[in-house]
Amino acid sequence: MAGIYIHIPFCKQKCSYCNFHFSTNIQHKSELIKAINKELVMRKDELSTPLETIYFGGGTPSILSEVELQSIFETIYKNYSTQNLKEITLEANPDDLNKEKLQFLKSTPINRFSIGIQSFFEQDLKLMNRAHNAQEAESSIKLVQDFGFENITIDLIYGSTTTTDEMWKQNLQKAIELDVPHISSYALTVEEKTVLDHQIKKGITKSVDEDHQNDQFQMLVDTLTSNDFIQYEISNFGKENYFSLHNSNYWKGVHYLGIGPSAHSYNGISRAWNISNNSKYIQAINEDNLPQEFEVLHEVDKFNEMIMIGLRTIYGIDINRINSEFSEPLVNYFHQELNQLLKENLVENRENKIILKPEAKFFADGIASRLFYIN
């Protein structure tokens, strides 16, 4: 099976923390959608297995018009094997989800929504410069449910300087009360050259506090796991049968195409990524060129990726695969570093799978880096 990720690089306004590729200028949106459709046709022979998932990400895919979205579906269904499609996700902002929009979306193959809630509190939303308000955050979920969509995930951000522990508890409780079956939750991260980064450096906004974030991460884990959510990846919590199939396939090494500016692709041997420039992307596609770079994944790349993904998911690091798929220097290094992590009680061995200890999950990336092999 395989997947397609489609990057829609447009937003109504710029969130203060965001460093993804997007534009608030939608003047050339129709041209870009035409280029995306053409790229889909140009690359139709790259996937050797039928599609299982499609994911519209961004940016803000819910900004697409009916004609634009329908044209993408028509292109995919005409050029790809779609008989095994199981999950089609649309990322959406709460302010885009009105009755008229949902009436149309109900007629499309979309069967999963990822709604960028981030918080149910005005203070948080203002700091993040979100386009929606607290009332829209709640009403958008109810409206999507009213139209018969059950497979819903929402994004929530913790550890902001405006988010008190009590507010965070209420955010989680609100999501539980709304019967949302999947939650993706991330610590507020300050990326370079973002508005938030500028505000902190200028003293306009306080710096984020790692201890504060760690406390709220533990609240997140404790609250959701005690309410029938499974933490199947560090930042992702799903009830039974509601895990993200598309994202799970990323973590399991399933091949996928990334379509649109800045989108990444993976075929098991190499990774490719499109140029992060809308106008140059459109120009290249119109000239029948794929505006992408690629890298061949060498043994060390594959080893380090297996470490990172394994520690972030419930699937763990498979010791048998490490021993059988990699050369002796990497295997020896792995076991040497692993023994130290076991002594420090940061990981455990469950049936030859290395899993993070619950109290170490907040520090997953740092722990994984200790197992990375550096040439």
Side-chain angles (χ1 to χ4, degrees):
M1 296 299 168
I4 291 179
Y5 171 82
I6 300 173
H7 189 76
I8 306 299
F10 298 108
C11 290
K12 291 180 180 178
Q13 64 188 52
K14 186 173 186 176
C15 297
S16 64
Y17 55 87
C18 184
N19 71 338
F20 291 164
H21 171 65
F22 71 95
S23 173
T24 55
N25 181 357
I26 63 172
Q27 181 179 354
H28 300 291
K29 181 158 66 83
S30 61
E31 293 177 60
L32 191 132
I33 300 306
K34 289 178 182 177
I36 282 176
N37 282 323
K38 185 172 181 180
E39 185 187 359
L40 281 165
V41 175
M42 291 169 68
R43 302 181 66 186
K44 64 181 181 179
D45 295 325
E46 289 188 32
L47 294 179
S48 58
T49 55
L51 283 179
E52 188 175 31
T53 64
I54 300 172
Y55 193 104
F56 290 87
T60 312
S62 55
I63 206 170
L64 294 179
S65 69
E66 294 184 15
V67 171
E68 290 164 344
L69 192 55
Q70 286 285 24
S71 72
I72 294 173
F73 277 124
E74 288 172 4
T75 303
I76 291 174
Y77 277 79
K78 182 178 180 180
N79 292 280
Y80 292 82
S81 176
T82 59
Q83 70 271 17
N84 293 317
L85 264 175
K86 296 178 181 177
E87 181 186 275
I88 304 175
T89 303
L90 180 81
E91 287 186 355
N93 277 350
D95 47 298
D96 288 330
L97 296 174
N98 54 44
K99 290 183 178 179
E100 292 74 24
K101 187 81 170 186
L102 284 164
Q103 187 67 54
F104 157 67
L105 293 174
K106 186 68 175 176
S107 69
T108 72
I110 292 166
N111 57 17
R112 184 174 185 267
F113 278 88
S114 176
I115 308 176
I117 299 296
Q118 315 309 353
S119 176
F120 293 101
F121 286 92
E122 294 292 349
Q123 301 99 302
D124 294 337
L125 297 173
K126 287 178 180 178
L127 174 73
M128 300 173 197
N129 197 39
R130 297 291 293 170
H132 67 279
N133 58 42
Q135 182 181 356
E136 289 171 323
E138 182 173 349
S139 64
S140 64
I141 297 172
K142 293 178 178 177
L143 192 58
V144 169
Q145 291 169 331
D146 288 343
F147 273 83
F149 293 99
E150 296 180 358
N151 199 353
I152 301 169
T153 179
I154 65 172
D155 289 342
L156 291 176
I157 290 179
Y158 62 87
S160 163
T161 56
T162 55
T163 311
T164 65
D165 287 351
E166 181 57 34
M167 289 166 62
W168 183 231
K169 288 178 184 177
Q170 291 184 40
N171 268 333
L172 294 172
Q173 193 57 44
K174 176 66 71 174
I176 292 167
E177 290 172 357
L178 289 169
D179 200 23
V180 174
H182 188 285
I183 295 171
S184 296
S185 191
Y186 308 92
L188 182 66
T189 304
V190 183
E191 303 288 354
E192 289 188 4
K193 299 181 180 180
T194 60
V195 172
L196 183 60
D197 179 48
H198 174 77
Q199 290 175 340
I200 290 173
K201 288 178 178 177
K202 291 291 185 180
I204 300 171
T205 300
K206 294 180 181 179
S207 298
V208 297
D209 180 82
E210 189 173 278
D211 290 335
H212 174 60
Q213 294 190 329
N214 185 24
D215 289 343
Q216 294 195 352
F217 175 77
Q218 295 303 327
M219 292 166 57
L220 166 73
V221 175
D222 294 343
T223 301
L224 294 186
T225 55
S226 64
N227 282 274
D228 300 324
F229 285 86
I230 300 167
Q231 187 183 16
Y232 68 107
E233 193 269 345
I234 293 293
S235 302
N236 286 274
F237 301 77
K239 292 190 175 181
E240 198 73 45
N241 300 318
Y242 284 99
F243 293 4
S244 167
L245 181 58
H246 186 84
N247 289 342
S248 293
N249 284 347
Y250 282 162
W251 303 324
K252 294 175 181 177
V254 173
H255 299 184
Y256 60 90
L257 286 185
I259 304 294
S262 80
H264 286 60
S265 304
Y266 172 72
N267 64 9
I269 300 171
S270 64
R271 293 196 182 282
W273 56 94
N274 287 343
I275 189 170
S276 298
N277 182 295
N278 291 356
S279 59
K280 290 182 179 180
Y281 168 82
I282 293 170
Q283 180 180 351
I285 294 295
N286 287 343
E287 294 173 354
D288 298 322
N289 296 319
L290 290 176
Q292 63 180 206
E293 298 180 60
F294 73 95
E295 63 175 353
V296 175
L297 297 176
H298 300 292
E299 182 189 35
V300 171
D301 300 319
K302 295 178 181 179
F303 174 85
N304 289 341
E305 187 163 292
M306 187 179 292
I307 296 297
M308 174 62 80
I309 292 174
L311 281 186
R312 289 190 62 89
T313 67
I314 60 172
Y315 315 113
I317 303 171
D318 189 331
I319 294 179
N320 294 330
R321 287 189 63 189
I322 293 289
N323 291 340
S324 64
E325 296 181 18
F326 298 102
S327 61
E328 186 176 348
L330 271 68
V331 173
N332 290 341
Y333 174 81
F334 171 77
H335 285 284
Q336 175 185 322
E337 296 300 318
L338 173 60
N339 286 336
Q340 185 59 39
L341 292 175
L342 288 167
K343 287 179 183 178
E344 295 176 31
N345 206 31
L346 294 173
V347 299
E348 60 183 306
N349 188 338
R350 294 185 191 171
E351 299 179 351
N352 246 19
K353 304 288 197 308
I354 299 303
I355 311 290
L356 278 173
K357 288 280 192 174
E359 59 272 18
K361 287 184 177 181
F362 183 72
F363 306 102
D365 292 349
I367 294 171
S369 68
R370 293 176 56 179
L371 288 169
F372 288 168
Y373 188 88
I374 308 298
N375 287 325

